[in-house]
Amino acid sequence: MFDFTPEQIGLISFCIVTASILPYAIRIFLGHADTSVTGWVISTFTGLVIFLTYGGIGATSNIWIALIELIDPAIIVLAALLYRSKWVWPDVYDWVAVALSIVALIIHTLSYHAGAPLWAYVGAFAADIFAAIPVVMFAWKNPDKEQPLAWLLSIFGISISFFSIQVLTAEQLSLPIYQLVFSVLVFAPAFYFYVKNKVPLRKWM
């Protein structure tokens, strides 16, 4: 009945995951959620480098997976700036993420030998992991601050993205697998907290 191309599947995945971030962005804009602009600006930068380098390792129809890394934090940054959220001094994870992203960007821009695209992506991938560590730590310390349904929607969207990959290589599979693990790590403590404390379903998003 439904015959989607890999490109269409990638776009659908992108739309679902992006939709999952919108409730959080709206809450920030309305002042119902507090956040630091700094961390999200750094995540946007690392996401940009991920997007640039993921295409370098052969991503085509599944490039939407990498675009998620750029667009989603950028939406949060916009909402935070409109609400005038606070800026904080970057922590050690942020600095490492920025340093690795800059190195990856330099390799991507200036190097043209055969192994350069892969090394650029590896650097960007490592940077994104460091940028994500504080988010996971916050979720485990403050599970009541997360919205389980939003993260569940993100998990669903990322799962769909696997069907957009036309060439199943370790490099191209690494990004959606990482995104899936990250989303589950944030979703799990929130889900446990909401179930344990019998939080009404209307507050799960």
Side-chain angles (χ1 to χ4, degrees), residues 167-181:
V167 181
L168 296 177
T169 63
E171 294 87 354
Q172 295 200 42
L173 285 169
S174 61
L175 185 57
I177 289 175
Y178 155 69
Q179 291 173 333
L180 189 60
V181 171

Side-chain angles (χ1 to χ4, degrees), residues 9-10 12-13 16 155-165:
I9 294 173
I12 291 171
S13 169
I16 292 173
I155 290 170
F156 174 66
I158 294 167
S159 299
I160 291 175
S161 73
F162 283 93
F163 297 99
S164 70
I165 303 175

Side-chain angles (χ1 to χ4, degrees), residues 38 42 45-46 88-103 127 130-131 134:
T38 311
I42 291 173
F45 177 56
T46 60
V88 298
W89 187 253
D91 60 22
V92 64
Y93 297 108
D94 293 329
W95 284 118
V96 172
V98 170
L100 287 172
S101 293
I102 292 174
V103 171
F130 274 96

Side-chain angles (χ1 to χ4, degrees), residues 24-39:
Y24 181 53
I26 292 171
R27 287 170 53 238
I28 292 174
F29 175 72
L30 296 176
H32 298 160
D34 190 24
T35 191
S36 162
V37 182
T38 311

